[in-house]
Amino acid sequence: MPKPIIDHSKCTGCNTCVEICPMDVLKKSDDKDKKIDTTDNECIGCRACEVQCPEGCIKVQD
Amino acid sequence: MAKKVKKSQSKIKKKVWVKLVAPPAFGKADLGEASVEDPRQAIGKTVTANLMTLTRDPKKQGINVRFIVRKMHESHAETIFNRYRLMPASIKRMVRRNKNRLDHSFKCKTSDGVLLILKPIVLTMNKCNRSVIQALRKKVVSFLFYNVGKKTFDQFVQELITAKIQISLKRSLSKLYPVAICELREAIVSSYPDTMKGTKPEGKLTVKPAVEEKKPAVKPVKTEVKTEEKPAKVEEKPAAKTEEKPIAKVEEKPAKPVKKSVTSKKSKEE
């Protein structure tokens, strides 16, 4: 199963990945450390978040 | 009486023809003309054109492309790509029985930030299970998200017209299940980024006088040409007739009477 792995130190919380994800795998979190979090939805591994992220802090692992 | 005359007078503005030009991805082809009172009103107008006329490829006669006027220049109006659509008549011809049709619709962004609505259509070779269709649908989404997200808007449009995206999508899908047809049924631009949006020019525009000047300039040229050519033809014709006719008559006339004389002699002898 593919899964997005977020580098929270680089993430600015711009929400582009949340908007672009077709399966709603990513969501905005209220935690101070994690600006974006993953949900239980199934990731199809389209890598849209990886390509679109302006900081390049998301990597999808197969 | 004088008052009534004043009321009947209405202010009618003269309309101007504005030339619409396709974006550079379509070779800056002529899309037509729009008649507008003020050239600023042309901004935001839409024009649809058949892709066959733009690319001169008869294979693409089933595709319509829509453009929106974005900028005004001195001599023409610049347009931007807005919609790519396969006509329903061509889709109807693709779909056959004992085959599965797979439709989908989703939004995705290019690297420029242009939000697109993509509607792919896939037709399988044979009837297949629902699990296969589900896998195909996932693959379509993942492929298009990854490939469209990497490219700029201009690159995407270029590949859409040349059908490179469709071909590469078909190749990737055929690894899962043999696919007969794989097309993008519709690609609509949902929103442009602020840098691409059309801006209305401020102050006086130079388009209006430029178009008005052209019309009177064309007419006198035509009249001049006619007046110059006619006398020249009149002079040439009599000269040609006088030179050619006598030579032809002189050559032909002696030939005919010889034959007649021969026949007449023979008849007399008989």
Side-chain angles (χ1 to χ4, degrees):
Chain A
M1 279 282 288
K3 207 176 181 182
I5 293 161
I6 306 160
D7 187 355
H8 294 286
S9 60
K10 285 183 185 176
C11 181
T12 55
C14 63
N15 273 352
T16 45
C17 54
V18 178
E19 285 170 11
I20 208 74
C21 184
M23 304 301 286
D24 296 331
V25 178
L26 300 161
K27 66 167 186 181
K28 207 176 180 183
S29 69
D30 300 326
D31 296 346
K32 286 179 183 177
D33 300 333
K34 289 180 180 180
K35 284 167 185 168
I36 283 160
D37 204 3
T38 52
T39 58
D40 298 332
N41 292 354
E42 188 191 357
C43 177
I44 57 169
C46 69
R47 299 185 180 191
C49 51
E50 190 181 303
V51 174
Q52 295 280 339
C53 182
E55 307 298 324
C57 59
I58 302 173
K59 279 187 180 176
V60 180
Q61 275 192 350
D62 293 326
Chain B
M1 291 294 284
K3 285 179 183 176
K4 282 180 184 176
V5 174
K6 278 181 183 176
K7 280 179 184 176
S8 63
Q9 284 177 348
S10 58
K11 290 177 182 177
I12 300 164
K13 279 188 177 180
K14 206 176 182 181
K15 287 194 172 181
V16 186
W17 287 101
V18 178
K19 200 178 174 185
L20 308 176
V21 177
F26 295 86
K28 291 190 175 181
D30 265 8
L31 294 172
E33 287 179 329
S35 68
V36 205
E37 281 184 359
D38 186 18
R40 285 172 219 180
Q41 288 176 354
I43 293 166
K45 282 205 170 206
T46 55
V47 199
T48 51
N50 195 286
L51 200 59
M52 183 183 74
T53 55
L54 295 173
T55 57
R56 295 177 185 179
D57 185 6
K59 281 180 186 175
K60 290 166 184 171
Q61 61 183 324
I63 301 162
N64 277 345
V65 189
R66 190 169 72 184
F67 301 95
I68 284 185
V69 179
R70 176 186 158 206
K71 259 185 188 178
M72 285 300 303
H73 293 278
E74 283 188 6
S75 58
H76 64 276
E78 192 185 308
T79 56
I80 190 166
F81 172 84
N82 184 249
R83 183 184 181 184
Y84 169 98
R85 194 184 181 220
L86 262 181
M87 279 196 265
S90 61
I91 295 168
K92 199 182 174 186
R93 264 175 262 143
M94 290 175 192
V95 182
R96 301 287 168 92
R97 68 175 185 178
N98 291 328
K99 282 170 189 180
N100 275 95
R101 177 185 167 164
L102 192 154
D103 278 299
H104 204 16
S105 170
F106 54 88
K107 284 183 178 182
C108 69
K109 256 186 185 178
T110 58
S111 60
D112 305 354
V114 180
L115 192 64
L116 297 160
I117 300 168
L118 299 179
K119 295 179 183 179
I121 181 171
V122 178
L123 295 162
T124 56
M125 283 281 196
N126 306 304
K127 276 251 173 196
C128 52
N129 295 331
R130 198 178 290 176
S131 61
V132 174
I133 294 168
Q134 212 172 345
L136 283 172
R137 191 172 280 124
K138 277 183 183 177
K139 188 83 176 172
V140 168
V141 172
S142 64
F143 179 89
L144 287 173
F145 262 100
Y146 185 69
N147 281 286
V148 174
K150 274 203 297 186
K151 282 156 196 159
T152 60
F153 179 63
D154 291 334
Q155 285 174 338
F156 168 74
V157 172
Q158 191 69 45
E159 291 199 354
L160 187 68
I161 298 157
T162 53
K164 279 183 183 174
I165 286 182
Q166 290 92 316
I167 292 162
S168 52
L169 176 62
K170 192 181 175 183
R171 276 179 196 162
S172 69
L173 289 180
S174 58
K175 288 172 190 172
L176 283 174
Y177 195 83
V179 172
I181 291 162
C182 179
E183 288 280 342
L184 273 174
R185 191 163 53 88
E186 222 166 311
I188 312 162
V189 178
S190 180
S191 68
Y192 295 100
D194 293 334
T195 52
M196 281 189 179
K197 276 178 186 173
T199 50
K200 289 189 177 181
E202 292 172 359
K204 286 183 180 178
L205 277 168
T206 52
V207 175
K208 215 173 181 179
V211 176
E212 283 176 351
E213 281 175 6
K214 278 182 183 176
K215 284 180 180 176
V218 173
K219 283 178 181 175
V221 170
K222 282 181 181 176
T223 51
E224 283 174 14
V225 170
K226 283 177 183 175
T227 49
E228 284 175 7
E229 284 176 357
K230 275 184 178 177
K233 284 177 182 175
V234 173
E235 286 173 8
E236 285 172 3
K237 278 180 182 177
K241 281 176 184 176
T242 49
E243 287 173 11
E244 288 172 5
K245 277 185 179 177
I247 296 161
K249 281 177 182 175
V250 171
E251 287 174 3
E252 287 173 4
K253 273 184 178 177
K256 283 178 183 175
V258 170
K259 282 181 182 178
K260 277 180 184 176
S261 64
V262 169
T263 51
S264 62
K265 280 178 184 177
K266 280 181 181 178
S267 63
K268 280 176 184 177
E269 287 171 5
E270 285 173 0

